[in-house]
Amino acid sequence: MKTILEAKNIVKYFGSDESKTYALKGVNLTAYYGEVLYIVGPSGSGKTTLLSIISGILRPNEGTVTVKDKNIWQMKDDDLADFRLNHIGFVFQDYHLFPKLTTTENVSIPLFLKRQNWDKSLKEAKYYLEVMGLGSKADLPVYKLSGGEQQRVAIARAVVSKPDILIFDEPTASLDGETGRQIIAFVKEHLLTQERTIIIVTHDSRIFEFANRILHMEDGKLKQTTDNGNHLDAQKCDIKLEAEAQ
Ligand SMILES: Nc1ncnc2c1ncn2[C@@H]1O[C@H](COP(=O)(O)OP(=O)(O)OP(=O)(O)O)[C@@H](O)[C@H]1O
């Protein structure tokens, strides 16, 4: 298995002196191409902090994060921002969409940020909305969509720039059980490729079956790894699917 991301000895604390809280106490994590990796654990165990650090959002106090052989926390801020735009797609728990913009405009945002041509960006955004089954909602403002539909818009926005790492923070937390399962099944079937890894933080045991590996966190440390097997069951056909959007 080929490594896409490696975090070594990650330590993160908040506050100082008596008010110092250790969120992560020396965490090691490796993610491989072509797998769905879950990070699970009780509330306050450090999952979101770890996710923020490996995705280049939050700087650790100690340790290194290497993505595609690059030490991301040694990069200058501008270079890290560019690296994130090109390689990491993040789906936030509460979606972080712009409610009054159309679904197409929301999905286009990463491409606009990359200064890609406006019309080409909208065309590619529409393609990914089709992939996510939202072609008929392309021109609607986001506030008119259901929770599950908004989640799919957020996923389309995260994949539009073809990231190697797709990261989800509690993707099913605001959805009913069946919608949550359908979305994760869809993501695994259509968006996992052998050139990508998908990392999901979740409390939701109803979606555990979609993981290849599950990392269990407790009190700022990784306690245990469960291997569900089926590594590299990424779908080759989906690489073709994405290439068509170019
Ligand atoms: N910005 C912050 N300032 C101070 N403490 C923080 C901050 N962010 C996180 N913490 C603390 O770090 C610890 C880990 O928090 P984190 O949000 O990573 O846990 P979590 O496992 O994602 O929890 P949950 O499942 O409830 O979202 C907690 O004790 C939390 O209170």
Side-chain angles (χ1 to χ4, degrees):
M1 289 187 291
K2 201 171 151 212
T3 300
I4 183 168
L5 181 151
E6 189 165 36
K8 279 194 180 156
N9 299 319
I10 301 295
V11 174
K12 180 70 190 176
Y13 51 79
F14 297 98
S16 57
D17 302 325
E18 302 92 71
S19 66
K20 205 168 178 180
T21 312
Y22 275 85
L24 299 174
K25 301 173 179 172
V27 174
N28 295 303
L29 173 157
T30 305
Y32 302 103
Y33 283 95
E35 73 169 343
V36 178
L37 179 67
Y38 279 26
I39 302 172
V40 308
S43 182
S45 58
K47 305 180 299 293
T48 299
T49 305
L50 181 60
L51 212 55
S52 306
I53 289 172
I54 63 175
S55 55
I57 296 171
L58 183 70
R59 186 178 286 277
N61 297 103
E62 289 174 36
T64 56
V65 178
T66 310
V67 178
K68 301 188 84 184
D69 299 323
K70 298 220 166 50
N71 183 334
I72 63 168
W73 288 112
Q74 274 185 351
M75 291 180 182
K76 292 188 191 134
D77 289 351
D78 285 354
D79 293 340
L80 178 56
D82 275 352
F83 188 82
R84 288 187 52 212
L85 255 182
N86 288 310
H87 298 288
I88 299 172
F90 202 103
V91 182
F92 295 91
Q93 182 174 345
D94 47 4
Y95 317 142
H96 288 203
L97 297 170
F98 294 91
K100 289 189 179 165
L101 297 184
T102 66
T103 59
T104 306
E105 287 162 345
N106 269 280
V107 175
S108 303
I109 288 168
L111 303 178
F112 296 156
L113 290 174
K114 285 166 89 170
R115 298 182 189 82
Q116 187 174 297
N117 169 280
W118 179 269
D119 289 338
K120 188 167 180 264
S121 300
L122 293 176
K123 195 170 157 223
E124 286 185 23
K126 283 195 168 142
Y127 171 82
Y128 279 95
L129 284 168
E130 292 282 349
V131 170
M132 295 305 296
L134 288 173
S136 63
K137 313 271 176 173
D139 298 322
L140 283 182
V142 153
Y143 74 84
K144 293 202 171 167
L145 273 58
S146 71
E149 288 169 342
Q150 292 193 24
Q151 175 68 295
R152 283 187 278 151
V153 175
I155 295 169
R157 185 182 57 185
V159 292
V160 74
S161 49
K162 306 182 189 74
D164 314 282
I165 302 180
L166 196 50
I167 294 182
F168 295 80
D169 191 6
E170 299 281 4
T172 57
S174 322
L175 304 174
D176 66 81
E178 192 44 36
T179 307
R181 274 179 54 80
Q182 279 171 6
I183 285 183
I184 300 305
F186 184 93
V187 163
K188 185 164 183 184
E189 189 180 344
H190 294 282
L191 301 179
L192 181 65
T193 73
Q194 292 179 24
E195 272 89 51
R196 177 175 284 158
T197 186
I198 296 178
I199 301 177
I200 299 178
V201 158
T202 185
H203 280 106
D204 187 353
S205 57
R206 290 169 303 194
I207 59 169
F208 282 8
E209 70 187 271
F210 299 107
N212 296 117
R213 283 190 306 141
I214 302 178
L215 307 182
H216 299 261
M217 290 205 60
E218 213 179 290
D219 192 24
K221 291 184 183 155
L222 276 179
K223 281 284 172 204
Q224 174 195 340
T225 304
T226 311
D227 201 324
N228 279 355
N230 299 325
H231 289 285
L232 303 176
D233 60 1
Q235 306 286 308
K236 273 192 185 134
C237 61
D238 293 313
I239 298 169
K240 207 168 70 204
L241 193 80
E242 293 201 27
E244 285 165 8
Q246 292 170 351

